Structures are given as C-alpha cells and as structure tokens.
Amino acid sequence: MKNFIYVFWLLIASVSMISCRKVEKDPLSYYPKVKTVSAVILDDGSVQVTGEIESEGTEPIEYAGFCMDTIPEPPMAKNQMITSVNGSSFSAIYQDFDITKKYYFRSWAANEYGYAIGNTLSLDSITAIPVIPPCTMTPNTTNFGSGTETFNNVGLPVMSFDDWTISASTSGTTFTLTFGEKPKTRKYVTASNVNVSSPGFVKITFNSGFVYGSVDDGADFYVNEIGINQYEMTLCTSPYSYQTSTLSIRFNFDCPL
Amino acid sequence: MKYIMVWLLMLVAAGAKAQLAVRLLHFNPTGDQGILFEKRFTAEIMYMQDFANEGGSSRMRAGISYTPLKSRLDTFPSYAVQEGSGTLVLPGYEIYKKYDLISAFMGADWAVLDREPFYLFLGGDIMGGVVNMEYEANYETILDESFSGGLAMVGIRLRAGTQYMITDKVIVFGEVTRSYYYIEEYSFQSHYDYGIGIQYVFN
C-alpha cells in the first residue's frame, strides 16, 4: 500500500511538472509587439501602410492589420483592414482620401492572449500624381466628326450596381462614360465592357441624334481628380466606327460642369 | 462560506489532540492564473497530526487558506472577432478587480524517511472552497459585462516536505505543493507554492 501511494504520488507530480507552462516575468510578454513602419502615397493616390511584428508574444499571431482615421490615435476597429503576415512584415492599401484632411494610420496585431497596437503615422494632402494628357484642347469642348461643340452639362459620377457612370452633354450630343471604379487620378483605357472587375477601364458611348456608337477599345483616357468629386477628363483622340466609316473623336471637360 | 470553513476546522480540531500549525507560503499562480495574477506571500492555518505522536508513518491534516490575488495588469487587452460581411477584430479589455481564493483542505502525509526527529514526507489534500471575484469585460459593440460574487472551487493538492522536531511540542517544517482545481463556470486552474511552518503540540 505504501509503495503504491509513493508511486501514485510521483506519477501525478511528474505529470504536473511536465504540464507546467512557464509564467513570463513581464505580463506584457504574452502579447505581440507591433510597429507601424511606413505609410507611403502611391502614384494613384492610394496609401500603402506597412507594419512589422517585433514580437509575436508567447503565442503565434492570429490577426494583424491596420486602422485609419482622420482623428489622431485611430481606434483599432476604425476603417480596419486585416492582412496576412509575411515573415514579420504586413501591409495594406487604403484608398479614397480627401485631399484637404490629415489621415492617421496605426498597425495592430493579436494573438491568443490579446492584442497590441502600434505607433501612429500621419499623412496629409494625399493625392495622386497627375496624369498629363499628350494633347492640348480648349476646355470643355469636343471635336466630334462634324465640328467643335461645347459641353454645357456634366454630372457627377453616379454609382450603380457594379459601375460608376458620368453623363456629359453638349447642345446636340450626350456622352456616357462608364467606369469600373469611382473615377480617380489615373490613365484609363477605353473598353466595350466595363465593371468592378475592370477598374482601369472606361466605356465611352455617345448619342448625337442620328449618330450613336461607342469609342473603340484601346484609347487612353486621362482623369485627374482636382478636388473632392471634381475631375478633369480628357480623351485626346480615338477612332470610332460609324456605318462604313472610321471617324475620330476627342473631348475634354470638367466634372461636374 | 468563511463560517463553514471555520466551523469545519473547529470540528476537526476539537475531536483530536490540539496540534495546530501555521504555514507561511509563497503562492505562485501557474497556467491562466499565472498570466493574470501576481505571486504573493500568504499563510494557512491547520490542524496537523504529528508523525511521532501518531506512532506510524502517516498523519492527517485539515485547515483553511486565504489568498487574495492581485492582478498583474490594471487592464488586460483582449479582443473579439465579429464575422458578418467580413471579419472585424474588435478590441476589448478584461479587468480583475478582486480574486480571492478561500479554501478548506483535508488530507494526509506519508513519511518516506522516518529518522526521528527528522522526517521526509509526501502528501496530498482534497480542497474545496470559493473564489470571490469581481470581474469586468468589454468588447466594443459586442459585450459589456461584469460579475461580482463567489464561484465554487474544488481540487487536489500534492505535497513534498520535510520536518524537524525541535522539542516534543515544537516542530518546524518546510513544504512544496502543487495544486489543481476547477472553478465553477470558469476553468481548471493551478498554482504551486513553497513555504515554511511551525507546529505546536498542546498535549
């Protein structure tokens, strides 16, 4: 009986020692340590934010990402983006900034025990590098087969199910521009089918009484976002087919007008 | 609960020779408790038989223990994950304002080495008691809860120790223990402790 008690005791004691999990001296050691490394404005006016996991803590990282706001020290859930960690680095791209505001970016990471939030980086005057059309045109005019017309009404981009549409009119012609994304500063390419899965393309159709059709695929179309919901749009030249002829179209307008 | 434990202790002590012991110990939370709570010094009081007086290699003991634990951080940063149109990681926090372990224990020791006045012994206890807790948790938009009250706990404790009889009435001892217990609606928890004690034999 005595021997049994000793063996039983030693067995339980051994198992309990093996199952011991080390208690960290610093309670913060259980949590990740994270740093917001950079926030860089890209050519198209989006911002690439990069973070670094300085320490995973005592357990692997389960989630990592960023938050962003126009107030300093943005809370973790504000405009949150969750990303995957590559090595110790992770990054995300934010878009659609108001050029007049200052934006704050913070990284964060979470493991089994909890989360840690990184330092804040800020950027202001976030805008894309303007795209310069290789032509000069009289503002708000179109040269459309039969002569020059002046735009008198250009609407703001209107979002529908899977595209954004702008309507622009002269006294005799209405143009409809369809984008796969909210227009922003960049060079687009004309295409006959455009939706959210083709953000770099624009479909341009027109209706001028007896003449209607669409701009041929493959022409460059220049958009510059000059303010909040304010754009300059230019098509230097593009062919379009009408009956058996191939004609040329070009236009330039401010949006809205 | 406190009254019950005092009553139990008095009941055990009254039916036996008056052999009281006090142990000062260093309480080391492990597992989840180790993450949340600081180590600390505390004490326990017990009725403990004496190997020499019992004339054998085993003895009984029973006592009570009170250990108020202090949180290692004022606020523990935790989070919740909300799944909907996408995944959202919501920050939150947990605060342990109070976490007192109050337990009664009863068990036995077996002398592995009996060289009176010197003994080496192994032992174990069954423990039962209450964790008196004040807790607060908040996760943005998901949860805001607090709890204040007692949660029942039950568990076991293993022990290895040594003792020396200074006189027939005064015995000093040292022990290392390892404890496992289940706390109602909470989880399995554990700790170890080491300490020294003094026992006085009245009869």
Side-chain angles (χ1 to χ4, degrees):
Chain A
M1 178 64 183
K2 197 172 172 181
N3 287 340
F4 171 76
I5 289 166
Y6 294 156
V7 170
F8 179 72
W9 192 98
L10 285 170
L11 188 66
I12 300 255
S14 303
V15 170
S16 76
M17 292 301 143
I18 291 166
S19 64
C20 274
R21 186 157 51 173
K22 187 187 165 199
V23 174
E24 299 292 323
K25 215 167 189 175
D26 178 1
L28 295 176
S29 302
Y30 291 99
Y31 302 95
K33 285 190 177 65
V34 65
K35 186 167 90 176
T36 314
V37 177
S38 64
V40 178
I41 302 171
L42 303 180
D43 290 354
D44 64 357
S46 57
V47 171
Q48 183 173 37
V49 200
T50 303
E52 184 185 328
I53 306 286
E54 294 185 306
S55 164
E56 286 195 327
T58 54
E59 294 293 326
I61 297 295
E62 292 185 348
Y63 298 96
F66 300 92
C67 48
M68 180 271 287
D69 202 1
T70 52
I71 55 165
E73 310 291 315
M76 185 173 154
K78 192 75 178 180
N79 295 306
Q80 185 180 88
M81 291 189 84
I82 299 174
T83 68
S84 55
V85 179
N86 183 14
S88 62
S89 177
F90 56 103
S91 67
I93 291 178
Y94 281 96
Q95 301 183 56
D96 298 328
F97 297 98
D98 180 340
I99 192 172
T100 62
K101 290 181 178 169
K102 188 172 187 175
Y103 290 86
Y104 298 86
F105 303 87
R106 274 214 286 189
S107 57
W108 57 266
N111 67 10
E112 180 190 322
Y113 291 114
Y115 74 93
I117 199 154
N119 54 306
T120 304
L121 297 177
S122 64
L123 290 171
D124 54 13
S125 305
I126 301 171
T127 184
I129 294 174
V131 286
I132 312 295
C135 60
T136 305
M137 291 183 66
T138 307
N140 299 309
T141 60
T142 176
N143 192 290
F144 176 48
S146 57
T148 300
E149 297 177 17
T150 302
F151 285 97
N152 53 29
N153 184 28
V154 179
L156 278 169
V158 177
M159 185 185 169
S160 62
F161 175 64
D162 64 350
D163 56 31
W164 279 256
T165 304
I166 292 172
S167 184
S169 304
T170 65
S171 56
T173 307
T174 299
F175 293 85
T176 303
L177 287 71
T178 306
F179 295 84
E181 63 182 345
K182 188 182 179 193
K184 61 184 182 184
T185 299
R186 73 182 290 178
K187 187 171 78 173
Y188 289 86
V189 176
T190 56
S192 48
N193 283 309
V194 171
N195 54 44
V196 286
S197 60
S198 50
F201 293 89
V202 58
K203 178 182 178 182
I204 302 172
T205 59
F206 52 85
N207 185 341
S208 178
F210 299 107
V211 180
Y212 56 91
S214 60
V215 171
D216 287 358
D217 292 358
D220 292 337
F221 182 70
Y222 298 86
V223 174
N224 281 297
E225 190 172 6
I226 53 176
I228 307 163
N229 287 325
Q230 289 183 300
Y231 307 90
E232 282 177 354
M233 299 189 175
T234 304
L235 179 70
C236 282
T237 183
S238 175
Y240 71 93
S241 301
Y242 176 66
Q243 295 180 342
T244 56
S245 307
T246 298
L247 304 171
S248 176
I249 185 171
R250 58 198 306 240
F251 62 78
N252 161 284
F253 58 71
D254 292 340
C255 169
L257 181 66
Chain B
M1 191 64 199
K2 286 178 189 173
Y3 296 112
I4 293 171
M5 286 191 294
V6 171
W7 182 80
L8 276 172
L9 184 67
M10 288 174 67
L11 187 69
V12 170
K17 295 173 188 174
Q19 297 170 113
L20 287 179
V22 175
R23 188 167 77 102
L24 299 173
L25 59 100
H26 191 233
F27 186 100
N28 290 259
T30 53
D32 289 346
Q33 280 191 158
I35 298 163
L36 300 174
F37 302 107
E38 292 179 355
K39 301 170 183 179
R40 67 165 303 153
F41 287 98
T42 184
E44 59 188 29
I45 184 166
M46 71 193 103
Y47 156 78
M48 184 165 74
Q49 292 178 336
D50 170 38
F51 287 120
N53 286 334
E54 295 307 312
S57 60
S58 65
R59 68 174 177 198
M60 301 292 290
R61 66 163 73 184
I64 54 171
S65 159
Y66 171 67
T67 311
L69 292 177
K70 190 180 172 207
S71 181
R72 296 181 76 187
L73 293 173
D74 292 338
T75 301
F76 292 93
S78 55
Y79 64 93
V81 178
Q82 189 177 53
E83 301 284 358
S85 55
T87 302
L88 187 62
V89 179
L90 293 167
Y93 61 81
E94 292 177 12
I95 300 172
Y96 293 85
K97 294 175 180 168
K98 187 176 182 183
Y99 192 91
D100 298 346
L101 287 171
I102 305 159
S103 65
F105 56 89
M106 183 177 283
D109 296 327
W110 293 269
V112 184
L113 181 68
D114 180 354
R115 297 279 186 274
E116 192 178 341
F118 179 76
Y119 295 87
L120 285 176
F121 60 87
L122 301 176
D125 297 324
I126 293 169
M127 306 168 7
V130 66
V131 178
N132 198 12
M133 183 194 287
E134 274 184 43
Y135 167 80
E136 192 181 316
N138 180 286
Y139 298 94
E140 264 182 28
T141 70
I142 286 187
L143 176 77
D144 186 6
E145 70 169 10
S146 60
F147 172 81
S148 179
L151 299 173
M153 61 90 85
V154 61
I156 60 162
R157 175 163 71 171
L158 300 172
R159 172 173 51 248
T162 180
Q163 73 170 48
Y164 183 76
M165 294 178 68
I166 297 172
T167 68
D168 286 348
K169 290 186 178 295
V170 179
I171 299 161
V172 291
F173 61 97
E175 292 175 354
V176 178
T177 81
R178 184 86 170 105
S179 304
Y180 293 93
Y181 34 95
Y182 177 74
I183 299 174
E184 174 196 10
E185 294 178 6
Y186 198 55
S187 63
F188 282 97
Q189 299 295 338
S190 63
H191 73 263
Y192 74 89
D193 66 61
Y194 52 88
I196 55 169
I198 186 162
Q199 180 183 11
Y200 188 81
V201 181
F202 287 96
N203 292 344

